Amino acid sequence: MKVQKDCSTCEFNFGGLCTAEAKMVPCSEEPIEDCPNWGIDEQYLAQLLQEGPWYLTKPYRHGKRSPSCFLQDMEQDERGEAVELNLFDAIEEIYGVSTNRLADICGVSSDVVGYARTHGAVKRRIPCFSHCLYIPEKMFEKFTSKDIPMLRECYKTYQINNKKPS
């Protein structure tokens, strides 16, 4: 999704007047891509949160990213560049499990999963997480938006290997 940085999405646009520099001048009718005074307005931020990919909106909604970092991530993603993500957020989304259920699956406490989510997985825990979730160990060291398809494949393997007998 392309981030539209122009007068129509700017917090300083008041009825077609730009108030960014404490002056009231008419807003540009032409798209201004690199306005140094541009700031996102609330309605446009809400639209981006509604339409943006879950892996970028979820961290913002949970207070892990500021609006400016969220916008940078959106722009980076739009350019096709990898955006670094929290693997445990992605696991919860793709595997459809809560922190408590994830802890049960891995045979650890929810505090261990909470710590891993916040600070990264402790090296000695990575083999256990990897084995239980069918996720390669390298993904616990660095996980990006480019790794999401691989995580979906890991989930398929997890499902196949954890089917309950009929």
Side-chain angles (χ1 to χ4, degrees), residues 88-143:
F88 288 88
D89 286 345
I91 291 168
E92 282 191 2
E93 183 73 26
I94 291 170
Y95 283 52
V97 296
S98 67
T99 298
N100 290 337
R101 178 69 184 122
L102 186 54
D104 288 343
I105 291 167
C106 296
V108 297
S109 72
S110 58
D111 290 341
V112 169
V113 174
Y115 184 90
R117 163 180 272 115
T118 306
H119 303 288
V122 177
K123 286 198 185 290
R124 68 183 172 91
R125 299 275 188 196
I126 291 174
C128 173
F129 290 147
S130 174
H131 175 75
C132 294
L133 299 168
Y134 297 87
I135 298 172
E137 290 186 20
K138 67 178 181 160
M139 290 176 86
F140 288 90
E141 294 167 15
K142 183 176 183 183
F143 182 76

Tab-separated table of all heavy atoms in Angstrom, residues 88-143:
chain	number	residue	atom	x	y	z
A	88	PHE	N	7.323	-13.633	17.205
A	88	PHE	CA	6.266	-14.164	18.059
A	88	PHE	C	4.908	-13.542	17.735
A	88	PHE	O	3.875	-14.206	17.849
A	88	PHE	CB	6.645	-14.031	19.537
A	88	PHE	CG	7.727	-15.012	19.899
A	88	PHE	CD1	9.053	-14.682	19.737
A	88	PHE	CD2	7.400	-16.280	20.349
A	88	PHE	CE1	10.051	-15.596	20.036
A	88	PHE	CE2	8.387	-17.206	20.643
A	88	PHE	CZ	9.728	-16.863	20.485
A	89	ASP	N	4.897	-12.297	17.307
A	89	ASP	CA	3.646	-11.696	16.829
A	89	ASP	C	3.173	-12.436	15.580
A	89	ASP	O	1.984	-12.727	15.423
A	89	ASP	CB	3.833	-10.208	16.492
A	89	ASP	CG	3.940	-9.323	17.718
A	89	ASP	OD1	3.595	-9.777	18.828
A	89	ASP	OD2	4.385	-8.161	17.566
A	90	ALA	N	4.115	-12.729	14.687
A	90	ALA	CA	3.774	-13.432	13.447
A	90	ALA	C	3.291	-14.852	13.735
A	90	ALA	O	2.344	-15.328	13.099
A	90	ALA	CB	4.972	-13.436	12.506
A	91	ILE	N	3.929	-15.533	14.678
A	91	ILE	CA	3.497	-16.887	15.045
A	91	ILE	C	2.058	-16.840	15.555
A	91	ILE	O	1.223	-17.654	15.147
A	91	ILE	CB	4.437	-17.507	16.105
A	91	ILE	CG1	5.809	-17.814	15.500
A	91	ILE	CG2	3.814	-18.771	16.697
A	91	ILE	CD1	6.881	-18.163	16.525
A	92	GLU	N	1.768	-15.900	16.439
A	92	GLU	CA	0.402	-15.793	16.962
A	92	GLU	C	-0.601	-15.553	15.847
A	92	GLU	O	-1.685	-16.131	15.841
A	92	GLU	CB	0.303	-14.692	18.015
A	92	GLU	CG	0.838	-15.127	19.353
A	92	GLU	CD	0.523	-14.162	20.482
A	92	GLU	OE1	-0.158	-13.143	20.246
A	92	GLU	OE2	0.950	-14.436	21.609
A	93	GLU	N	-0.239	-14.721	14.889
A	93	GLU	CA	-1.139	-14.395	13.779
A	93	GLU	C	-1.322	-15.586	12.846
A	93	GLU	O	-2.451	-15.977	12.531
A	93	GLU	CB	-0.591	-13.195	12.993
A	93	GLU	CG	-1.476	-12.723	11.880
A	93	GLU	CD	-2.719	-11.988	12.343
A	93	GLU	OE1	-2.720	-11.400	13.432
A	93	GLU	OE2	-3.702	-12.015	11.585
A	94	ILE	N	-0.236	-16.190	12.413
A	94	ILE	CA	-0.296	-17.253	11.410
A	94	ILE	C	-0.746	-18.586	12.015
A	94	ILE	O	-1.565	-19.296	11.429
A	94	ILE	CB	1.049	-17.371	10.676
A	94	ILE	CG1	1.237	-16.112	9.813
A	94	ILE	CG2	1.123	-18.638	9.834
A	94	ILE	CD1	2.600	-15.949	9.202
A	95	TYR	N	-0.253	-18.912	13.185
A	95	TYR	CA	-0.643	-20.162	13.830
A	95	TYR	C	-1.991	-20.026	14.533
A	95	TYR	O	-2.602	-21.018	14.908
A	95	TYR	CB	0.414	-20.604	14.842
A	95	TYR	CG	1.661	-21.225	14.250
A	95	TYR	CD1	2.398	-20.603	13.252
A	95	TYR	CD2	2.127	-22.451	14.722
A	95	TYR	CE1	3.549	-21.169	12.728
A	95	TYR	CE2	3.286	-23.037	14.215
A	95	TYR	CZ	3.989	-22.385	13.203
A	95	TYR	OH	5.122	-22.957	12.693
A	96	GLY	N	-2.426	-18.792	14.752
A	96	GLY	CA	-3.719	-18.552	15.384
A	96	GLY	C	-3.757	-18.977	16.840
A	96	GLY	O	-4.747	-19.556	17.293
A	97	VAL	N	-2.671	-18.701	17.561
A	97	VAL	CA	-2.587	-19.104	18.967
A	97	VAL	C	-2.298	-17.899	19.855
A	97	VAL	O	-1.698	-16.926	19.423
A	97	VAL	CB	-1.493	-20.180	19.192
A	97	VAL	CG1	-1.839	-21.459	18.466
A	97	VAL	CG2	-0.123	-19.687	18.776
A	98	SER	N	-2.701	-18.014	21.099
A	98	SER	CA	-2.416	-16.993	22.103
A	98	SER	C	-1.053	-17.278	22.727
A	98	SER	O	-0.469	-18.353	22.526
A	98	SER	CB	-3.484	-17.017	23.191
A	98	SER	OG	-3.386	-18.242	23.914
A	99	THR	N	-0.568	-16.355	23.520
A	99	THR	CA	0.690	-16.552	24.245
A	99	THR	C	0.615	-17.797	25.124
A	99	THR	O	1.541	-18.596	25.161
A	99	THR	CB	1.017	-15.310	25.101
A	99	THR	OG1	1.175	-14.187	24.234
A	99	THR	CG2	2.281	-15.503	25.912
A	100	ASN	N	-0.496	-17.963	25.823
A	100	ASN	CA	-0.651	-19.125	26.704
A	100	ASN	C	-0.644	-20.432	25.924
A	100	ASN	O	-0.015	-21.408	26.337
A	100	ASN	CB	-1.930	-19.010	27.542
A	100	ASN	CG	-1.828	-17.916	28.579
A	100	ASN	OD1	-0.745	-17.526	28.983
A	100	ASN	ND2	-2.975	-17.410	28.996
A	101	ARG	N	-1.333	-20.470	24.802
A	101	ARG	CA	-1.364	-21.688	23.987
A	101	ARG	C	0.022	-21.964	23.392
A	101	ARG	O	0.465	-23.115	23.347
A	101	ARG	CB	-2.412	-21.555	22.876
A	101	ARG	CG	-2.480	-22.747	21.967
A	101	ARG	CD	-3.040	-23.987	22.692
A	101	ARG	NE	-2.985	-25.118	21.788
A	101	ARG	CZ	-2.338	-26.262	22.032
A	101	ARG	NH1	-1.734	-26.453	23.179
A	101	ARG	NH2	-2.315	-27.215	21.142
A	102	LEU	N	0.702	-20.921	22.972
A	102	LEU	CA	2.059	-21.069	22.438
A	102	LEU	C	2.986	-21.642	23.504
A	102	LEU	O	3.803	-22.529	23.232
A	102	LEU	CB	2.565	-19.717	21.935
A	102	LEU	CG	3.894	-19.679	21.216
A	102	LEU	CD1	3.933	-20.649	20.050
A	102	LEU	CD2	4.168	-18.258	20.726
A	103	ALA	N	2.837	-21.175	24.731
A	103	ALA	CA	3.631	-21.698	25.845
A	103	ALA	C	3.331	-23.181	26.058
A	103	ALA	O	4.255	-23.985	26.257
A	103	ALA	CB	3.351	-20.897	27.109
A	104	ASP	N	2.061	-23.558	25.994
A	104	ASP	CA	1.681	-24.972	26.141
A	104	ASP	C	2.311	-25.828	25.048
A	104	ASP	O	2.828	-26.908	25.321
A	104	ASP	CB	0.152	-25.136	26.091
A	104	ASP	CG	-0.547	-24.627	27.336
A	104	ASP	OD1	0.130	-24.436	28.373
A	104	ASP	OD2	-1.770	-24.409	27.258
A	105	ILE	N	2.239	-25.361	23.831
A	105	ILE	CA	2.800	-26.107	22.702
A	105	ILE	C	4.291	-26.355	22.899
A	105	ILE	O	4.801	-27.437	22.624
A	105	ILE	CB	2.560	-25.345	21.375
A	105	ILE	CG1	1.074	-25.335	21.016
A	105	ILE	CG2	3.390	-25.940	20.232
A	105	ILE	CD1	0.703	-24.367	19.914
A	106	CYS	N	5.001	-25.341	23.405
A	106	CYS	CA	6.456	-25.427	23.558
A	106	CYS	C	6.887	-25.992	24.908
A	106	CYS	O	8.082	-26.184	25.147
A	106	CYS	CB	7.075	-24.049	23.342
A	106	CYS	SG	6.848	-23.430	21.665
A	107	GLY	N	5.933	-26.233	25.795
A	107	GLY	CA	6.258	-26.799	27.096
A	107	GLY	C	7.019	-25.846	28.001
A	107	GLY	O	7.874	-26.261	28.785
A	108	VAL	N	6.697	-24.560	27.893
A	108	VAL	CA	7.325	-23.535	28.732
A	108	VAL	C	6.223	-22.691	29.362
A	108	VAL	O	5.050	-22.816	29.015
A	108	VAL	CB	8.296	-22.637	27.914
A	108	VAL	CG1	9.442	-23.446	27.348
A	108	VAL	CG2	7.562	-21.885	26.811
A	109	SER	N	6.601	-21.813	30.267
A	109	SER	CA	5.603	-20.929	30.875
A	109	SER	C	5.295	-19.768	29.927
A	109	SER	O	6.079	-19.451	29.029
A	109	SER	CB	6.114	-20.389	32.211
A	109	SER	OG	7.138	-19.441	32.001
A	110	SER	N	4.178	-19.134	30.160
A	110	SER	CA	3.826	-17.969	29.343
A	110	SER	C	4.812	-16.823	29.579
A	110	SER	O	5.004	-15.983	28.697
A	110	SER	CB	2.389	-17.524	29.615
A	110	SER	OG	2.217	-17.211	30.971
A	111	ASP	N	5.458	-16.811	30.756
A	111	ASP	CA	6.489	-15.798	31.018
A	111	ASP	C	7.684	-15.973	30.076
A	111	ASP	O	8.271	-14.993	29.629
A	111	ASP	CB	6.978	-15.870	32.468
A	111	ASP	CG	5.931	-15.410	33.464
A	111	ASP	OD1	4.974	-14.708	33.042
A	111	ASP	OD2	6.065	-15.745	34.654
A	112	VAL	N	8.037	-17.222	29.770
A	112	VAL	CA	9.148	-17.492	28.851
A	112	VAL	C	8.801	-16.967	27.461
A	112	VAL	O	9.616	-16.315	26.803
A	112	VAL	CB	9.487	-19.005	28.811
A	112	VAL	CG1	10.450	-19.326	27.684
A	112	VAL	CG2	10.057	-19.454	30.144
A	113	VAL	N	7.576	-17.231	27.013
A	113	VAL	CA	7.142	-16.739	25.702
A	113	VAL	C	7.064	-15.211	25.720
A	113	VAL	O	7.489	-14.550	24.773
A	113	VAL	CB	5.787	-17.366	25.282
A	113	VAL	CG1	5.281	-16.737	23.990
A	113	VAL	CG2	5.930	-18.866	25.130
A	114	GLY	N	6.554	-14.641	26.812
A	114	GLY	CA	6.493	-13.179	26.932
A	114	GLY	C	7.868	-12.542	26.863
A	114	GLY	O	8.061	-11.523	26.206
A	115	TYR	N	8.823	-13.157	27.540
A	115	TYR	CA	10.200	-12.651	27.505
A	115	TYR	C	10.755	-12.743	26.085
A	115	TYR	O	11.373	-11.792	25.583
A	115	TYR	CB	11.093	-13.437	28.468
A	115	TYR	CG	12.500	-12.893	28.527
A	115	TYR	CD1	12.827	-11.906	29.449
A	115	TYR	CD2	13.485	-13.337	27.651
A	115	TYR	CE1	14.116	-11.379	29.492
A	115	TYR	CE2	14.768	-12.814	27.682
A	115	TYR	CZ	15.073	-11.841	28.609
A	115	TYR	OH	16.351	-11.315	28.643
A	116	ALA	N	10.526	-13.882	25.428
A	116	ALA	CA	11.024	-14.073	24.064
A	116	ALA	C	10.401	-13.052	23.109
A	116	ALA	O	11.078	-12.519	22.228
A	116	ALA	CB	10.733	-15.489	23.590
A	117	ARG	N	9.128	-12.773	23.306
A	117	ARG	CA	8.450	-11.792	22.454
A	117	ARG	C	9.057	-10.393	22.645
A	117	ARG	O	9.252	-9.654	21.694
A	117	ARG	CB	6.969	-11.750	22.796
A	117	ARG	CG	6.296	-10.485	22.270
A	117	ARG	CD	4.842	-10.390	22.579
A	117	ARG	NE	4.170	-11.062	21.499
A	117	ARG	CZ	3.468	-12.172	21.617
A	117	ARG	NH1	3.316	-12.732	22.776
A	117	ARG	NH2	2.894	-12.705	20.584
A	118	THR	N	9.352	-10.051	23.864
A	118	THR	CA	9.844	-8.708	24.180
A	118	THR	C	11.332	-8.531	23.907
A	118	THR	O	11.749	-7.505	23.391
A	118	THR	CB	9.553	-8.382	25.658
A	118	THR	OG1	8.167	-8.583	25.904
A	118	THR	CG2	9.905	-6.948	25.992
A	119	HIS	N	12.125	-9.535	24.275
A	119	HIS	CA	13.587	-9.397	24.217
A	119	HIS	C	14.254	-10.292	23.185
A	119	HIS	O	15.469	-10.234	23.016
A	119	HIS	CB	14.193	-9.714	25.592
A	119	HIS	CG	13.655	-8.855	26.681
A	119	HIS	ND1	13.974	-7.525	26.819
A	119	HIS	CD2	12.782	-9.136	27.691
A	119	HIS	CE1	13.341	-7.025	27.866
A	119	HIS	NE2	12.613	-7.976	28.405
A	120	GLY	N	13.495	-11.156	22.548
A	120	GLY	CA	14.060	-12.152	21.641
A	120	GLY	C	14.240	-13.457	22.385
A	120	GLY	O	14.410	-13.480	23.602
A	121	ALA	N	14.199	-14.535	21.637
A	121	ALA	CA	14.315	-15.859	22.255
A	121	ALA	C	15.727	-16.064	22.796
A	121	ALA	O	16.707	-15.747	22.136
A	121	ALA	CB	13.978	-16.942	21.238
A	122	VAL	N	15.804	-16.580	24.002
A	122	VAL	CA	17.080	-16.935	24.614
A	122	VAL	C	17.654	-18.097	23.807
A	122	VAL	O	16.934	-19.023	23.434
A	122	VAL	CB	16.866	-17.339	26.101
A	122	VAL	CG1	18.155	-17.791	26.737
A	122	VAL	CG2	16.250	-16.179	26.874
A	123	LYS	N	18.962	-18.049	23.528
A	123	LYS	CA	19.598	-19.059	22.671
A	123	LYS	C	19.283	-20.494	23.085
A	123	LYS	O	19.051	-21.347	22.245
A	123	LYS	CB	21.105	-18.835	22.617
A	123	LYS	CG	21.491	-17.640	21.766
A	123	LYS	CD	22.953	-17.712	21.372
A	123	LYS	CE	23.389	-16.481	20.634
A	123	LYS	NZ	22.841	-16.361	19.307
A	124	ARG	N	19.270	-20.770	24.376
A	124	ARG	CA	19.034	-22.137	24.830
A	124	ARG	C	17.584	-22.575	24.596
A	124	ARG	O	17.283	-23.771	24.604
A	124	ARG	CB	19.433	-22.323	26.291
A	124	ARG	CG	18.564	-21.589	27.285
A	124	ARG	CD	19.106	-21.784	28.718
A	124	ARG	NE	18.423	-20.946	29.654
A	124	ARG	CZ	17.335	-21.314	30.323
A	124	ARG	NH1	16.840	-22.516	30.165
A	124	ARG	NH2	16.759	-20.481	31.163
A	125	ARG	N	16.668	-21.630	24.386
A	125	ARG	CA	15.261	-21.967	24.140
A	125	ARG	C	14.959	-22.155	22.651
A	125	ARG	O	13.956	-22.775	22.293
A	125	ARG	CB	14.345	-20.860	24.672
A	125	ARG	CG	14.449	-20.603	26.145
A	125	ARG	CD	13.581	-21.535	26.901
A	125	ARG	NE	13.549	-21.140	28.304
A	125	ARG	CZ	13.129	-21.927	29.259
A	125	ARG	NH1	12.698	-23.130	28.980
A	125	ARG	NH2	13.140	-21.509	30.499
A	126	ILE	N	15.796	-21.605	21.788
A	126	ILE	CA	15.525	-21.638	20.347
A	126	ILE	C	15.353	-23.062	19.819
A	126	ILE	O	14.393	-23.317	19.075
A	126	ILE	CB	16.588	-20.839	19.567
A	126	ILE	CG1	16.433	-19.348	19.878
A	126	ILE	CG2	16.475	-21.090	18.062
A	126	ILE	CD1	17.508	-18.455	19.280
A	127	PRO	N	16.212	-24.019	20.171
A	127	PRO	CA	15.998	-25.378	19.652
A	127	PRO	C	14.625	-25.955	20.032
A	127	PRO	O	13.984	-26.621	19.208
A	127	PRO	CB	17.137	-26.187	20.276
A	127	PRO	CG	18.215	-25.180	20.535
A	127	PRO	CD	17.477	-23.926	20.927
A	128	CYS	N	14.174	-25.687	21.233
A	128	CYS	CA	12.863	-26.162	21.674
A	128	CYS	C	11.747	-25.504	20.857
A	128	CYS	O	10.869	-26.189	20.332
A	128	CYS	CB	12.671	-25.880	23.164
A	128	CYS	SG	11.007	-26.259	23.756
A	129	PHE	N	11.789	-24.188	20.742
A	129	PHE	CA	10.779	-23.468	19.957
A	129	PHE	C	10.784	-23.978	18.515
A	129	PHE	O	9.738	-24.223	17.921
A	129	PHE	CB	11.036	-21.954	19.958
A	129	PHE	CG	10.786	-21.266	21.273
A	129	PHE	CD1	11.561	-20.171	21.643
A	129	PHE	CD2	9.788	-21.666	22.143
A	129	PHE	CE1	11.340	-19.503	22.834
A	129	PHE	CE2	9.553	-21.012	23.343
A	129	PHE	CZ	10.333	-19.923	23.693
A	130	SER	N	11.975	-24.120	17.959
A	130	SER	CA	12.135	-24.569	16.582
A	130	SER	C	11.518	-25.952	16.383
A	130	SER	O	10.750	-26.180	15.449
A	130	SER	CB	13.617	-24.582	16.219
A	130	SER	OG	13.811	-25.139	14.938
A	131	HIS	N	11.837	-26.872	17.272
A	131	HIS	CA	11.343	-28.244	17.179
A	131	HIS	C	9.819	-28.313	17.337
A	131	HIS	O	9.134	-28.981	16.558
A	131	HIS	CB	12.026	-29.113	18.247
A	131	HIS	CG	11.498	-30.500	18.310
A	131	HIS	ND1	11.808	-31.461	17.373
A	131	HIS	CD2	10.644	-31.086	19.197
A	131	HIS	CE1	11.177	-32.573	17.675
A	131	HIS	NE2	10.471	-32.380	18.776
A	132	CYS	N	9.296	-27.630	18.315
A	132	CYS	CA	7.859	-27.697	18.606
A	132	CYS	C	7.000	-27.023	17.532
A	132	CYS	O	5.880	-27.456	17.273
A	132	CYS	CB	7.558	-27.049	19.953
A	132	CYS	SG	8.259	-27.941	21.352
A	133	LEU	N	7.533	-25.970	16.911
A	133	LEU	CA	6.745	-25.183	15.959
A	133	LEU	C	7.128	-25.439	14.497
A	133	LEU	O	6.519	-24.869	13.599
A	133	LEU	CB	6.889	-23.689	16.278
A	133	LEU	CG	6.405	-23.274	17.670
A	133	LEU	CD1	6.859	-21.871	18.004
A	133	LEU	CD2	4.890	-23.406	17.765
A	134	TYR	N	8.170	-26.267	14.292
A	134	TYR	CA	8.643	-26.576	12.938
A	134	TYR	C	9.118	-25.316	12.209
A	134	TYR	O	8.892	-25.161	11.016
A	134	TYR	CB	7.562	-27.315	12.134
A	134	TYR	CG	7.218	-28.646	12.746
A	134	TYR	CD1	6.248	-28.740	13.741
A	134	TYR	CD2	7.897	-29.798	12.375
A	134	TYR	CE1	5.947	-29.957	14.341
A	134	TYR	CE2	7.604	-31.023	12.965
A	134	TYR	CZ	6.632	-31.091	13.948
A	134	TYR	OH	6.342	-32.293	14.537
A	135	ILE	N	9.796	-24.467	12.946
A	135	ILE	CA	10.339	-23.216	12.408
A	135	ILE	C	11.861	-23.305	12.446
A	135	ILE	O	12.418	-23.644	13.492
A	135	ILE	CB	9.859	-22.006	13.248
A	135	ILE	CG1	8.336	-21.882	13.188
A	135	ILE	CG2	10.517	-20.715	12.770
A	135	ILE	CD1	7.753	-20.833	14.126
A	136	PRO	N	12.549	-22.993	11.345
A	136	PRO	CA	14.014	-23.034	11.365
A	136	PRO	C	14.589	-22.092	12.428
A	136	PRO	O	14.068	-20.985	12.642
A	136	PRO	CB	14.413	-22.558	9.963
A	136	PRO	CG	13.199	-22.719	9.123
A	136	PRO	CD	12.019	-22.598	10.048
A	137	GLU	N	15.651	-22.540	13.076
A	137	GLU	CA	16.264	-21.752	14.152
A	137	GLU	C	16.681	-20.362	13.689
A	137	GLU	O	16.580	-19.401	14.447
A	137	GLU	CB	17.457	-22.509	14.746
A	137	GLU	CG	17.036	-23.721	15.544
A	137	GLU	CD	18.189	-24.411	16.253
A	137	GLU	OE1	19.250	-23.783	16.464
A	137	GLU	OE2	18.022	-25.588	16.616
A	138	LYS	N	17.141	-20.231	12.447
A	138	LYS	CA	17.610	-18.929	11.959
A	138	LYS	C	16.510	-17.866	11.995
A	138	LYS	O	16.790	-16.680	12.126
A	138	LYS	CB	18.195	-19.041	10.555
A	138	LYS	CG	17.184	-19.391	9.499
A	138	LYS	CD	17.780	-19.459	8.110
A	138	LYS	CE	16.661	-19.793	7.132
A	138	LYS	NZ	16.967	-19.456	5.798
A	139	MET	N	15.252	-18.289	11.913
A	139	MET	CA	14.152	-17.322	11.939
A	139	MET	C	13.990	-16.689	13.321
A	139	MET	O	13.423	-15.605	13.440
A	139	MET	CB	12.847	-17.969	11.480
A	139	MET	CG	12.854	-18.302	9.996
A	139	MET	SD	11.372	-19.154	9.454
A	139	MET	CE	10.317	-17.769	9.116
A	140	PHE	N	14.484	-17.354	14.356
A	140	PHE	CA	14.404	-16.790	15.703
A	140	PHE	C	15.453	-15.705	15.920
A	140	PHE	O	15.359	-14.929	16.858
A	140	PHE	CB	14.542	-17.900	16.754
A	140	PHE	CG	13.334	-18.782	16.831
A	140	PHE	CD1	13.243	-19.917	16.051
A	140	PHE	CD2	12.269	-18.448	17.653
A	140	PHE	CE1	12.122	-20.731	16.103
A	140	PHE	CE2	11.141	-19.250	17.716
A	140	PHE	CZ	11.066	-20.392	16.927
A	141	GLU	N	16.445	-15.679	15.065
A	141	GLU	CA	17.489	-14.663	15.179
A	141	GLU	C	17.108	-13.380	14.451
A	141	GLU	O	17.385	-12.283	14.926
A	141	GLU	CB	18.805	-15.235	14.650
A	141	GLU	CG	19.307	-16.367	15.533
A	141	GLU	CD	20.415	-17.172	14.892
A	141	GLU	OE1	21.003	-16.715	13.893
A	141	GLU	OE2	20.679	-18.281	15.398
A	142	LYS	N	16.492	-13.531	13.277
A	142	LYS	CA	16.023	-12.364	12.526
A	142	LYS	C	14.847	-12.799	11.675
A	142	LYS	O	14.930	-13.781	10.950
A	142	LYS	CB	17.126	-11.789	11.638
A	142	LYS	CG	16.686	-10.532	10.915
A	142	LYS	CD	17.808	-9.909	10.123
A	142	LYS	CE	17.322	-8.621	9.478
A	142	LYS	NZ	18.351	-8.027	8.648
A	143	PHE	N	13.764	-12.047	11.778
A	143	PHE	CA	12.547	-12.366	11.039
A	143	PHE	C	12.065	-11.097	10.356
A	143	PHE	O	11.963	-10.044	10.990
A	143	PHE	CB	11.471	-12.913	11.988
A	143	PHE	CG	10.212	-13.315	11.299
A	143	PHE	CD1	10.145	-14.502	10.584
A	143	PHE	CD2	9.086	-12.511	11.347
A	143	PHE	CE1	8.985	-14.878	9.929
A	143	PHE	CE2	7.919	-12.875	10.707
A	143	PHE	CZ	7.863	-14.062	9.997
